[in-house]
Amino acid sequence: MVSVTWGSDLIAGPVTRMVATARTGVEVLRFGGLQTGSRPSPFQIMERCEMYRLRRYFPEGANDPSRPPVVLVPPMMMSANVFDVTRDQGAVGVLHDLGVDPWVVDFGSPDRETGGLERTLSDHVVALSRVIDSVHAHTGREVHLAGYSQGGMFCYQTAAYRRSEGLASVITFGAAVDSLSGLPFGIPAALAGRGAQLIADHVFNRLSVSGWMARTGFQLLDPIKTVRARWDFLRQLHDREALLPKEQQRRFLEVEGWVAWSGPAVAELLRQFVVHNRMMAGGAVIDGTLITLAEITCPVLAFVGEIDDIGQPASVRGIRRAAPRAEVSEVLLRAGHFGLVVGSTAATHTWPTVGNWVLWRDAQGPRPEGVHAMEADPRVGIDGDVGLSSRIGHSAGALAELGIGVSLGLADAAVGAARSGREIAGEAVRTLPRLARLGRLQPHTRVSLGGLMAEQANRAPEEECFLFEDRVHTNAAVDCRIDEVVRGLIAVGIRQGAHIGVLMDTNPSAVAAIAALSRLGAVAVLLPPDDDLAAAVRLCEVADIVTDPNHLAGAAATGARVLILGHGRTAHPGRTESDRVVELDRLDLSAERLPQWYRPNPGRASDLAFVFFSTTGGRRVVKEVTNHRWALSAYGTATAAALGRRDTIYCLTPLHHPSGLMVGLGGAVAGGSRIALTRGVDPTRFADEVHRYGVTVVSYTWAMLLELVEATSPELQDHHPIRLFIGAGMPTGLWQKVTDRFAPARVLEFYASTEGDAVLANVAGTKIGAKGRPLPGSTEIRLGDYDAATGRFIEDDRGFVRPCAVDEVGVLLAKPRSGHDAASVSMRGVFAEGDTWITTDHLFRRDSDGDYWFVDNRNTVIQSVCGPVFCQPICDALGDIMGIDLAVVYPVATDTHDVAVAAVTLGKGGVLTAASLTTALGGLPRDQRPAIVQIVDRIPLTPSYRPLSTALQEAGLPTPGERTWYHDHTDGHYRQLATAVGKPAPSSPREPLSL
């Protein structure tokens, strides 16, 4: 009897299990899952539009004024029900029980909404901003904005878009900020960016993501976990009660939780926040407005999952650097990406913490446990990899359970080993085409500023071209504007080859005017806004000046015809009786036809393109620049600075300076970078716009950056996107301050001769003050030995100019290219019979490493009693003294010779002593030191920030006193220049000091 019972139990157990499994399986197949009997939390639709439906949960208690409102934002590809998967453990239920008023934004499924598959990223952010206004209107209170994953990114972007207006705090869950940190499998950031760009340009511009594609992609991110979950579900089909607690969560992830994702939104997300990483760098464009997370000022709470492989800790913690003005806190949980908001961890930790945080911020409770200030993570490596050991440990456990090896670790190592090779190859891909294009330039090759901007418009019409006053101008819009200006110029009689003056502030209209003249084939004469404007107009025989309303009076005073472009303070300047003032924007061009002679962008490499002005030794000098010379600087800058589509160049340099047009604007156009224009040097505006525009490269001239270095900007101190400063003429002392103040950014100093194609660049940046080495594509250069005392070249026994040896000072000579350079400045038979060289009139020396150092201009060498004195080495040496801001060296004439005088200005708290002067100038030969050094209150600057010595020179020798020192030739020391009452100070270094 016992044996029969035992046998029947042995048979009945498996049969019962099989029957239960079959019954549960049929239920799953019939209904898509188990019938749990659970119901969603009650809600009311408070607002409905094409973009969203705004849910307010538990409307029966909506009138309770003590409940602070929280708006929950789902990611684009996930249903809004992610916050209400189960009533007892879902977000809305837990928050309501804690005394919070939960709202949820339901974007719906785009494939079922009118125009849903055409939605952009900007549409979501603008919609979310409207939601905040709506909730505020209903409740009368500031809103706590909370978002999961990509919804958290929306929250950050919306807070930046609104500049935190109406927000009590921002709360995010696994929301990536630094998209290029913590990339899986050690993928280099550059490779990820290029891959994202490729997908955005060629996949999601044609394709949207369906719900099943989103679900599959999410599951493939962690296939091991997906397989294990399904296996566990199959193994427990016989035990329906054991499956019920997690059934709602399983059905959400497997079937119900996924919605379509519009292609334009995906493409915009990839371009802005992966390719360009604009969440970190700033400069994202939302509905035509530039935003930066640096303008978030409300408190931020970020939930970080230790084993989150999607919103990895390094990426999530990027908010600390991206929003330096906000109080940023974090909660670290042992959870994956989905586990942060759904499941037992979310029910017991995430949502109670959120509720308590909201109540604490509303002064209704204590600070929640587990919330602490976000600090820099010491585990962050060069590529932003963080929490790797946590993820490996978690994954290893899962792999062991399924019996899979650790071969993924070997693959990760292989990828890391190949990383540097890929980066080098990627750099070559960017630079080689530019160098090849330079090498192909011949005198007859068509190349010009207008032509390159047309290429940009054809290649990427919707990409950003200019950023100005927080607005965005696309390549297509700028190209259209240039064509409009061309039509206006033709209508008033401007023809190809005409010399047309340009007198304008730095703004998009100025760039459009210069590019339009280039597209027309005219020559742009860049007029500096100084007192000698009329003389510059006469010097170049300019008959027409394109100007803006701000410079109308100055342009009209020259007697030239004035063509006004753009709008400013003078909206209706009117016309004179002689019709000498024409407003180009008011011309009716609808009936105008372009003449047959017009051909867009006719400029060839050998054609004159621009005319600049400079002052050397008190003389105004005209500098003519051909299209080839401009292209050489533009492509050379783009190559040396590795400029690309990810860069935004901040053009501080005025366009009437060669560096502004050839290095700043030219480098940006040649590199395909965005161009941020600004009205001038202002520390407050600079600090704001660097983040708002996502500035990576800043152009400069001379001492332009001094004011910015001295300004206190804590947000720039903690984090900034700048990687490079490019320009010419930066003093050595300022150079050191810039690299210290804006670390890890570095300085890329250029030298470009106007005569010839000599272009030097200090690419390494390790030798402060050096002009560097010739850029690839520039012409051959040599130094010809030169006697500065007689002003003649030093010749060898055969009568040829002797080449300079290492560290010898000589004139920089450039080898002309056939057809490119003017013969009027050429020298023949210089180093060999029949050779031709162009003199730059600049004195250089070349060190043993091959780097060139600027010494002086031939016309500004000081002829002292001890022999020629070179100015630049003195300025460089004085720049090494801590506390000196600027230095200038100039001659003061006496009856028999010139006296070399150095004037310096001190920074705040700066002190200058005789000992520091002796030490700093002791590295120069005694006959190359200034006879007198004085402290002055101010050194005048030109409009391009070049220090001027004219006024100091006219004042004569410095007055003896505590701010003046002289050089004692007997021992080489500097001593204070003081004199007894009634006795004169020495007028030359040879005279004894009167006491």
Side-chain angles (χ1 to χ4, degrees):
M1 185 67 179
V2 175
S3 60
V4 173
T5 303
W6 178 83
S8 61
D9 291 342
L10 186 64
I11 297 173
V15 171
T16 303
R17 184 185 184 107
M18 291 176 61
V19 171
T21 300
R23 186 187 304 114
T24 307
V26 169
E27 182 181 359
V28 170
L29 292 174
R30 183 180 179 186
F31 300 105
L34 303 180
Q35 297 297 296
T36 62
S38 62
R39 294 288 183 267
S41 301
F43 64 84
Q44 180 181 353
I45 302 296
M46 303 298 294
E47 185 175 338
R48 186 189 302 267
C49 63
E50 289 186 355
M51 271 299 299
Y52 63 84
R53 285 172 289 277
L54 180 58
R55 304 177 182 177
R56 188 176 195 177
Y57 279 82
F58 305 100
E60 69 280 358
N63 295 324
D64 187 352
S66 66
R67 291 180 177 268
V70 176
V71 175
L72 301 171
V73 185
M76 277 195 292
M77 68 289 195
M78 191 168 281
S79 165
N81 294 329
V82 68
F83 299 116
D84 190 31
V85 175
T86 60
R87 167 63 183 86
D88 57 336
Q89 294 188 340
V92 294
V94 174
L95 292 176
H96 178 265
D97 292 343
L98 288 171
V100 175
D101 182 12
W103 300 61
V104 173
V105 180
D106 180 10
F107 291 117
S109 184
D111 55 350
R112 300 176 185 174
E113 306 286 343
T114 303
L117 294 180
E118 282 73 47
R119 291 175 179 175
T120 65
L121 186 79
S122 297
D123 292 336
H124 289 79
V125 176
V126 173
L128 198 51
S129 181
R130 288 176 52 194
V131 165
I132 294 171
D133 291 334
S134 180
V135 173
H136 178 73
H138 280 92
T139 63
R141 307 183 61 161
E142 289 189 331
V143 176
H144 295 269
L145 191 61
Y148 166 51
S149 189
Q150 195 180 80
M153 296 173 66
F154 288 158
C155 293
Y156 287 138
Q157 293 154 19
T158 304
Y161 180 72
R162 298 175 60 91
R163 300 187 183 179
S164 298
E165 181 183 355
L167 292 176
S169 73
V170 172
I171 308 166
T172 63
F173 315 94
V177 175
D178 189 353
S179 301
L180 299 180
S181 283
L183 291 170
F185 306 115
I187 299 173
L191 182 62
R194 286 194 293 273
Q197 183 74 62
L198 183 68
I199 295 172
D201 290 344
H202 301 288
V203 177
F204 291 116
N205 62 335
R206 303 181 181 91
L207 176 70
S208 293
V209 180
S210 63
W212 71 265
M213 291 171 64
R215 180 183 70 245
T216 304
F218 184 86
Q219 292 171 348
L220 288 176
L221 289 173
D222 195 347
I224 299 169
K225 184 177 181 180
T226 301
V227 172
R228 185 178 61 179
R230 292 182 177 179
W231 174 245
D232 289 342
F233 180 77
L234 292 174
R235 285 194 306 113
Q236 297 184 68
L237 274 178
H238 65 285
D239 190 352
R240 187 177 183 278
E241 296 303 317
L243 293 175
L244 285 178
K246 291 186 177 182
E247 178 59 10
Q248 291 292 105
Q249 178 177 331
R250 186 197 69 81
R251 290 185 63 170
F252 184 86
L253 283 177
E254 292 284 344
V255 182
E256 301 168 353
W258 305 96
V259 297
W261 201 358
S262 68
V266 181
E268 189 177 355
L269 180 140
L270 290 174
R271 289 193 189 100
Q272 293 215 52
F273 303 120
V274 178
V275 177
H276 302 299
N277 203 17
R278 301 238 181 263
M279 292 277 282
M280 286 297 295
V285 181
I286 300 297
D287 195 31
T289 300
L290 290 156
I291 67 165
T292 171
L293 269 58
E295 291 181 324
I296 297 177
T297 55
C298 64
V300 174
L301 177 63
F303 282 79
V304 183
E306 280 189 280
I307 51 177
D308 188 346
D309 284 321
I310 298 175
Q312 295 193 12
S315 180
V316 174
R317 289 187 172 120
I319 186 60
R320 178 181 176 272
R321 291 181 295 130
R325 300 173 183 171
E327 176 192 338
V328 182
S329 304
E330 73 166 36
V331 176
L332 183 63
L333 297 177
R334 182 73 176 178
H337 194 65
F338 193 68
L340 284 173
V341 293
V342 176
S344 58
T345 300
T348 56
H349 292 88
T350 301
W351 301 118
T353 303
V354 171
N356 292 329
W357 163 273
V358 170
L359 295 174
W360 172 57
R361 284 292 171 186
D362 201 49
Q364 297 187 44
R367 180 188 181 99
E369 295 183 3
V371 175
H372 58 272
M374 186 178 288
E375 302 291 342
D377 197 323
R379 295 174 293 172
V380 176
I382 294 175
D383 294 320
D385 215 359
V386 64
L388 185 60
S389 59
S390 297
R391 292 195 298 275
I392 288 177
H394 177 72
S395 298
L399 289 170
E401 289 181 30
L402 294 174
I404 301 175
V406 291
S407 57
L408 288 178
L410 298 177
D412 180 59
V415 170
R419 180 183 306 154
S420 60
R422 282 197 302 266
E423 290 172 346
I424 293 172
E427 188 66 29
V429 167
R430 275 201 306 272
T431 58
L432 287 179
R434 297 169 186 166
L435 297 178
R437 186 164 185 175
L438 273 180
R440 292 195 302 267
L441 285 182
Q442 299 299 322
H444 61 275
T445 305
R446 290 178 63 185
V447 61
S448 64
L449 170 61
L452 267 96
M453 297 195 74
E455 289 182 17
Q456 289 268 69
N458 291 331
R459 182 172 59 248
E462 298 307 315
E463 290 284 332
E464 299 95 4
C465 181
F466 293 133
L467 314 177
F468 183 67
E469 294 187 338
D470 299 344
R471 302 303 297 175
V472 179
H473 305 264
T474 64
N475 286 322
V478 170
D479 194 63
C480 182
R481 173 62 170 164
I482 293 171
D483 285 337
E484 289 177 357
V485 177
V486 169
R487 294 176 66 88
L489 292 172
I490 293 176
V492 297
I494 306 301
R495 296 182 66 92
Q496 183 176 342
H499 283 54
I500 307 300
V502 179
L503 179 64
M504 305 181 75
D505 291 330
T506 301
N507 55 46
S509 290
V511 178
I514 297 170
L517 291 171
S518 173
R519 183 162 297 178
L520 181 58
V523 178
V525 180
L526 286 306
L527 299 170
D530 55 26
D531 297 334
D532 295 331
L533 180 61
V537 170
R538 290 193 300 270
L539 191 61
C540 289
E541 299 180 351
V542 170
D544 299 281
I545 298 177
V546 181
T547 189
D548 51 31
N550 296 335
H551 293 92
L552 173 60
T558 65
R561 183 174 61 158
V562 178
L563 310 176
I564 302 177
L565 187 66
H567 304 284
R569 291 188 296 270
T570 308
H572 300 282
R575 297 189 180 189
T576 64
E577 293 180 359
S578 58
D579 199 30
R580 302 293 291 171
V581 177
V582 180
E583 290 187 84
L584 295 178
D585 287 328
R586 294 181 182 271
L587 296 176
D588 184 6
L589 303 176
S590 57
E592 293 286 338
R593 296 181 60 185
L594 290 173
Q596 291 187 1
W597 59 260
Y598 173 65
R599 182 185 183 189
N601 308 308
R604 302 187 182 277
S606 59
D607 292 343
L608 181 63
F610 309 107
V611 175
F612 296 96
F613 296 90
S614 68
T615 302
T616 302
R619 297 185 301 109
R620 172 147 286 185
V621 179
V622 175
K623 296 185 175 182
E624 297 183 339
V625 175
T626 64
N627 282 314
H628 178 272
R629 180 65 188 77
W630 177 84
L632 176 62
S633 288
Y635 281 107
T637 301
T639 301
L643 299 178
R645 294 171 67 178
R646 294 178 59 185
D647 285 304
T648 299
I649 299 183
Y650 193 73
C651 289
L652 281 172
T653 313
L655 295 176
H656 61 76
H657 189 278
S659 181
L661 192 59
M662 300 168 69
V663 175
L665 179 63
V669 173
S673 307
R674 301 197 306 181
I675 306 162
L677 300 174
T678 186
R679 290 195 178 276
V681 180
D682 180 82
T684 303
R685 184 191 302 122
F686 177 76
D688 290 337
E689 291 182 342
V690 159
H691 284 295
R692 193 176 304 143
Y693 295 167
V695 173
T696 58
V697 179
V698 178
S699 70
Y700 68 86
T701 53
W702 301 99
M704 181 176 288
L705 300 179
L706 181 60
E707 196 175 345
L708 304 181
V709 169
E710 293 178 342
T712 55
S713 303
E715 58 273 13
L716 290 180
Q717 189 75 33
D718 296 336
H719 165 67
H720 62 80
I722 302 172
R723 67 176 181 87
L724 200 63
F725 292 87
I726 58 174
M730 185 182 292
T732 55
L734 179 57
W735 188 326
Q736 186 63 58
K737 292 176 183 177
V738 167
T739 53
D740 291 342
R741 175 72 176 80
F742 296 102
R746 59 187 182 88
V747 173
L748 176 56
E749 175 82 2
F750 282 92
Y751 164 85
S753 66
T754 305
E755 297 79 16
D757 286 340
V759 180
L760 304 173
N762 188 345
V763 178
T766 54
K767 296 181 180 180
I768 294 180
K771 300 302 179 186
R773 305 176 188 180
L775 276 181
S778 61
T779 189
E780 178 186 353
I781 60 173
R782 296 182 75 174
L783 293 181
D785 205 356
Y786 179 75
D787 185 350
T790 63
R792 296 174 58 90
F793 285 97
I794 298 176
E795 300 175 348
D796 58 18
D797 296 338
R798 301 175 297 164
F800 294 117
V801 174
R802 188 176 74 86
C804 287
V806 172
D807 285 329
E808 288 185 343
V809 176
V811 177
L812 184 68
L813 303 173
K815 189 78 170 177
R817 300 171 187 265
S818 175
H820 287 309
D821 301 307
S824 59
V825 293
S826 297
M827 300 169 55
R828 298 186 183 277
V830 181
F831 298 109
E833 184 177 353
D835 65 351
T836 305
W837 294 83
I838 297 175
T839 176
T840 64
D841 281 342
H842 291 157
L843 302 178
F844 278 81
R845 67 176 179 87
R846 183 172 56 86
D847 63 22
S848 57
D849 296 326
D851 290 299
Y852 287 79
W853 297 76
F854 179 72
V855 174
D856 213 331
N857 188 295
R858 289 174 66 178
N859 301 316
T860 57
V861 177
I862 300 173
Q863 303 296 335
S864 74
V865 68
C866 300
V869 177
F870 303 123
C871 298
Q872 191 59 45
I874 297 173
C875 292
D876 291 346
L878 291 172
D880 291 336
I881 299 177
M882 187 72 68
I884 288 183
D885 276 347
L886 292 177
V888 67
V889 180
Y890 56 93
V892 175
T894 64
D895 295 337
T896 58
H897 59 273
D898 290 341
V899 177
V901 179
V904 301
T905 59
L906 300 182
K908 186 177 181 180
V911 177
L912 186 63
T913 64
S916 61
L917 283 173
T918 301
T919 302
L921 296 171
L924 300 176
R926 290 194 180 184
D927 60 352
Q928 289 297 313
R929 302 175 191 176
I932 299 174
V933 179
Q934 67 165 333
I935 298 175
V936 295
D937 295 328
R938 176 178 172 270
I939 293 178
L941 301 174
T942 67
S944 58
Y945 289 82
R946 182 175 187 172
L948 275 177
S949 60
T950 306
L952 296 170
Q953 188 175 353
E954 292 173 351
L957 289 172
T959 304
E962 296 180 352
R963 291 156 56 99
T964 310
W965 294 263
Y966 77 98
H967 180 229
D968 191 339
H969 271 257
T970 58
D971 58 5
H973 286 69
Y974 279 85
R975 293 183 168 84
Q976 198 168 81
L977 180 59
T979 182
V981 176
K983 293 187 178 183
S987 61
S988 93
R990 296 290 191 184
E991 295 180 21
L993 182 66
S994 298
L995 298 174

